[in-house]
């Protein structure tokens, strides 16, 4: 095994794997991308590498696995600290706030986003949609007038939230709703444009139609799509 061998177990459609791919791109780290189809079968390497959750992404660095997307992003930021661009802020208060917002995104907001996609029936979907939109207003206020949550370039919160932009596009298309637009969330809309155009991001964001197709083909797993 060569020194600094980096392998990522992920999939092209996984928002959590996007986080890791974006972080590796920010740091200009070359890696081997092993695609997993977690809905069909998990590889032995994945099961051995993430025996607790058995989920992607997993980063394997010099043979040692690291699990959970945000843990991996923090690891990448520390290991390739001298690489271009720091992902987490260096100021302790800014760093704590960035962690606060990523906890909010994963533990609170994403649950509503996911429920908007999966909920059965109009009432349940409307409720999840409302909660998702309220959360986006909170995030819009946290963004303020900056281009990125990280200031003038992509940082930890941008990676944590931006990974869901493709999924947001799928939900908007399939559920015939708007989540980010120029009326309700003009700052987030601009942020989404800056984020999607960034060199570390633009080549890995999947095409919305292709992603919709992929979700539709798993219709028995992703319930509630009519
Ligand atoms: N909290 C985890 C979430 C990872 C996750 O849910 N990954 C999905 C794919 S997007 C997965 O592997 N699902 C398969 C399963 O739950 O069995 C992280 O941030 O890495």
């Amino acid at each position: 095994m060569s020194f600094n061998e980096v392998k990522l177990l992920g999939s092209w459609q996984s928002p959590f794997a996007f986080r890791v791919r974006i972080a590796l791109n920010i740091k200009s780290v070359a890696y081997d991308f092993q695609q997993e189809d977690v809905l069909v079968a998990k590889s032995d390497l994945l099961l051995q590498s993430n025996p607790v959750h058995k989920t992607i992404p997993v980063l394997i660095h010099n043979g040692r696995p690291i699990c959970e997307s945000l843990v991996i992003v923090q690891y990448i930021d520390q290991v390739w600290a001298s690489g271009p661009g720091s992902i987490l802020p260096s100021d302790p208060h800014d760093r704590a706030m960035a962690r606060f917002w990523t906890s909010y995104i994963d533990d609170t907001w994403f649950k509503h986003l996911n429920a908007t996609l999966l909920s059965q029936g109009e009432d349940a979907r409307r409720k999840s949609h409302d909660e998702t939109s309220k959360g986006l207003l909170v995030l819009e206020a946290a963004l303020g007038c900056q281009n990125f949550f990280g200031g003038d370039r992509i940082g930890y919160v941008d990676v944590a939230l931006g990974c869901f932009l493709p999924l947001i596009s799928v939900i908007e298309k399939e559920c015939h709703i708007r989540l980010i637009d120029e009326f309700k969330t003009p700052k987030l809309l601009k942020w989404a444009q800056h984020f999607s155009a960034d060199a570390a991001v633009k080549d890995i964001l999947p095409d919305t139609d292709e992603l919709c197709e992929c979700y539709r083909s798993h219709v028995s797993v992703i319930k509630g799509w009519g």
Side-chain angles (χ1 to χ4, degrees):
M1 181 182 300
S2 66
F3 182 69
N4 259 346
E5 187 180 74
V6 181
K7 186 192 264 290
L8 173 63
L9 311 185
S11 75
W12 67 268
Q13 60 276 67
S14 162
F16 300 103
F18 291 150
R19 287 177 173 172
V20 178
R21 295 167 72 197
I22 293 166
L24 290 167
N25 282 352
I26 290 172
K27 298 289 184 174
S28 303
V29 177
Y31 61 98
D32 172 33
F33 189 28
Q34 179 172 313
Q35 297 265 353
E36 295 277 340
D37 191 343
V38 287
L39 295 179
V40 174
K42 295 177 181 180
S43 71
D44 288 343
L45 183 58
L46 173 60
L47 296 174
Q48 284 158 16
S49 307
N50 189 356
V52 176
H53 297 303
K54 305 176 178 66
T55 50
I56 53 166
V58 177
L59 188 80
I60 306 178
H61 184 205
N62 294 331
R64 296 193 300 176
I66 305 110
C67 307
E68 284 295 310
S69 60
L70 291 179
V71 174
I72 301 170
V73 171
Q74 294 186 44
Y75 176 85
I76 292 168
D77 200 30
Q78 279 188 299
V79 170
W80 288 278
S82 59
S86 147
I87 299 172
L88 274 112
S90 51
D91 174 79
H93 182 263
D94 292 347
R95 191 172 272 240
M97 289 312 293
R99 289 192 171 121
F100 169 83
W101 285 116
T102 55
S103 299
Y104 173 75
I105 289 164
D106 274 14
D107 302 341
T108 304
W109 176 79
F110 175 66
K111 292 193 167 73
H112 299 306
L113 181 74
N114 208 29
T116 308
L117 179 74
L118 300 178
S119 52
Q120 311 252 23
E122 270 313 300
D123 284 354
R125 177 165 292 163
R126 193 170 308 113
K127 201 164 169 244
S128 306
H129 176 195
D130 286 350
E131 292 301 326
T132 306
S133 296
K134 276 187 211 158
L136 287 170
L137 291 177
V138 170
L139 290 163
E140 163 116 346
L143 173 64
C145 294
Q146 314 177 95
N147 278 353
F148 294 105
F149 289 89
D152 54 7
R153 60 190 166 83
I154 287 187
Y156 191 53
V157 181
D158 301 285
V159 173
L161 183 62
C163 75
F164 295 119
L165 286 172
L167 180 58
I168 287 175
S169 300
V170 168
I171 294 173
E172 288 186 330
K173 189 161 182 217
E174 295 294 323
C175 304
H176 311 288
I177 56 177
R178 298 303 299 165
L179 289 169
I180 296 181
D181 68 26
E182 67 269 41
F183 304 110
K184 285 182 292 188
T185 52
K187 290 173 186 160
L188 276 183
L189 182 67
K190 276 218 170 93
W191 163 82
Q193 287 160 354
H194 288 299
F195 182 85
S196 305
D198 191 273
V201 176
K202 63 178 174 8
D203 293 335
I204 58 172
L205 287 182
D207 174 67
T208 303
D209 290 339
E210 219 177 317
L211 200 55
C212 284
E213 200 52 51
C214 168
Y215 277 108
R216 281 194 213 111
S217 72
H218 291 121
V219 78
S220 58
V221 181
I222 309 295
K223 299 184 179 77
W225 282 43

